[in-house]
Amino acid sequence: MKPRVFSGVQPSGDLHIGNYLGALKNWVKLQYDYECIYCIVDLHAVTVYQDPATLRGKISELAALFLAAGIDPRQSVIMVQSSVPAHAELAWMLTCVTPVGWLTRMTQYKAKAEKQETVGDGLLQYPVLMAADILLYQAQIVPVGDDQVQHLELTRDIAQRFNSLYGETFVMPETKLPAVGARIMGLDDPLKKMSKSETASGHAVALLDPPDVIRRKIQRATTDSQPCVDFDALGPGVANLLNIFQAFSEWTDDRMRAHFSGMRYGRLKQEVADMVIAHLEPLQRRYREIAGEPGYVDRVLKEGAERVAPIANATVEAVKRRMGLYVPC
Ligand code: TYM
């Protein structure tokens, strides 16, 4: 049996090149060697308020983007988290073995909580639900960007604690980061991670941005006061642009150096924009085809949930037995 992979994306905001390079691009590659489950984590999205109609639309858009990026539904499962109730069920059981102190020290929790007037309990429980997503399927490999590393460490801590309290139950999942592109920074502020929740227009390149918008955003990206690329003294803005280019092109370090050393920033931005557009245009074409096919995305999501529900339900049943909860005969 092939080892299992699980990963997810929140259907909040517009998917950007950080999400693509940090996660999706890697997912496509893994699907031929592993049994992959790719999840639209709508229960995570509602840990901060989402307009209901917008959220519903974003779920379908995200599923179509997974498909357009190259996730093949004959190879991989594409599913929505809330359509398999076992995610929420296991999350509750794991909540009961998770000390609150582990959750309050999560950096994403602290950053998100700072922005809210009242902090919903869901925001604190967020990483427990994420642990449930992964442990429910006994996933061995979790391909994510760098910002999820702490959540994955917590997942292992929760699994270990459960195993030591109730006996060996969960497999320890491993974090898989891409070699290049694990942390794409904002174009407007290269010291901040590119983020879906950031609304400034020059911050991120969205996967569905038209080519002229992509070009404009990249041309306006923050660099520094040097005139041209110096690999021995790279500022964060230029390093980010080179990183984006390398993650899309998959060029080696040597080829990057040979090509870009001494290049003026104007030319660098032009080449980065060309590379991003060359990759996103075909993806956008496929997206329009998929989104224009009535019923297709819903069918993929329904089949996805049906394929994984038996695995998820079997784990919940095993966990219930371990904990001494009632399992009807
Ligand atoms: P989310 O929706 O914030 O991001 C989805 C994926 O994109 C990666 N990512 C980035 N990679 C590189 N550079 C960036 N600037 C960047 N921004 C985001 C993220 O690391 C992620 O891989 N908690 C998760 C969703 C989740 C999940 C899971 C992931 C829920 N359950 C189980 C893995 C396994 C999240 O908020 O992702």
Side-chain angles (χ1 to χ4, degrees):
M1 221 170 68
K2 289 180 186 170
R4 196 170 286 147
V5 165
F6 182 96
S7 198
V9 179
Q10 293 190 71
S12 53
D14 292 330
L15 215 67
H16 53 65
I17 55 171
N19 301 124
Y20 179 74
L21 298 172
L24 253 80
K25 186 166 178 281
N26 225 357
W27 295 6
V28 174
K29 288 190 182 159
L30 291 169
Q31 64 185 339
Y32 301 100
D33 297 323
Y34 299 93
E35 186 193 326
C36 298
I37 304 170
Y38 297 129
C39 188
I40 295 165
V41 293
D42 54 349
L43 295 173
H44 277 107
V46 294
T47 54
V48 293
Y49 177 78
Q50 306 288 331
D51 172 68
T54 310
L55 177 62
R56 183 59 196 86
K58 283 283 163 198
I59 293 169
S60 301
E61 179 185 299
L62 194 51
L65 276 171
F66 281 12
L67 293 161
I71 311 287
D72 178 351
R74 286 162 305 182
Q75 292 287 341
S76 309
V77 166
I78 301 178
M79 57 157 311
V80 180
Q81 188 183 35
S82 66
S83 62
V84 177
H87 286 252
E89 235 180 320
L90 182 62
W92 174 255
M93 296 168 204
L94 298 181
T95 292
C96 297
V97 302
T98 306
V100 178
W102 289 6
L103 302 175
T104 48
R105 67 159 194 254
M106 291 289 111
T107 51
Q108 281 207 355
Y109 166 71
K110 287 194 266 189
K112 285 185 186 172
E114 241 173 39
K115 294 188 196 151
Q116 311 290 319
E117 249 174 57
T118 43
V119 179
D121 187 26
L123 212 51
L124 186 64
Q125 304 304 327
Y126 183 109
V128 184
L129 178 59
M130 186 163 157
D133 294 339
I134 297 164
L135 301 177
L136 199 51
Y137 300 104
Q138 306 286 11
Q140 283 111 310
I141 293 169
V142 185
V144 284
D146 171 75
D147 61 338
Q148 298 301 318
V149 167
Q150 195 186 33
H151 287 160
L152 264 295
E153 280 163 9
L154 183 80
T155 298
R156 283 189 290 273
D157 287 344
I158 293 174
Q160 232 146 29
R161 192 171 163 93
F162 189 97
N163 286 354
S164 68
L165 283 171
Y166 294 108
E168 279 305 306
T169 307
F170 295 120
V171 167
M172 288 301 139
E174 263 175 50
T175 309
K176 187 169 174 63
L177 298 177
V180 183
R183 192 174 188 82
I184 300 297
M185 310 307 279
L187 296 177
D188 56 345
D189 179 357
L191 298 178
K192 261 199 204 156
K193 184 194 71 157
M194 188 176 281
S195 155
K196 279 191 242 124
S197 54
E198 200 66 53
T199 49
S201 71
H203 174 74
V205 171
L207 293 190
L208 294 176
D209 274 347
D212 57 321
V213 174
I214 298 176
R215 197 170 291 284
R216 196 166 351 112
K217 286 180 175 175
I218 292 175
Q219 291 294 353
R220 288 191 189 151
T222 303
T223 48
D224 50 54
S225 54
Q226 303 294 323
C228 50
V229 179
D230 175 359
F231 277 89
D232 298 322
L234 282 181
V238 174
N240 191 39
L241 289 172
L242 289 167
N243 203 21
I244 292 171
F245 186 99
Q246 189 175 16
F248 273 110
S249 66
E250 302 187 1
W251 284 13
T252 61
D253 290 349
D254 287 349
R255 186 166 176 198
M256 289 293 293
R257 260 181 189 262
H259 185 77
F260 287 108
S261 283
M263 187 182 282
R264 299 192 73 82
Y265 289 166
R267 173 87 195 146
L268 162 72
K269 287 176 169 178
Q270 214 175 321
E271 296 210 5
V272 174
D274 288 345
M275 178 57 69
V276 175
I277 292 167
H279 277 80
L280 294 192
E281 264 190 329
L283 184 152
Q284 294 177 357
R285 235 186 345 267
R286 284 194 298 272
Y287 172 81
R288 284 190 291 272
E289 281 166 21
I290 291 160
E293 207 180 310
Y296 176 56
V297 166
D298 284 331
R299 239 177 7 255
V300 168
L301 293 177
K302 184 166 180 281
E303 275 171 27
E306 283 168 1
R307 272 163 68 189
V308 295
I311 309 170
N313 293 338
T315 306
V316 164
E317 193 181 313
V319 170
K320 280 184 170 176
R321 287 188 199 282
R322 291 268 191 219
M323 295 180 90
L325 294 166
Y326 179 67
V327 179
C329 6

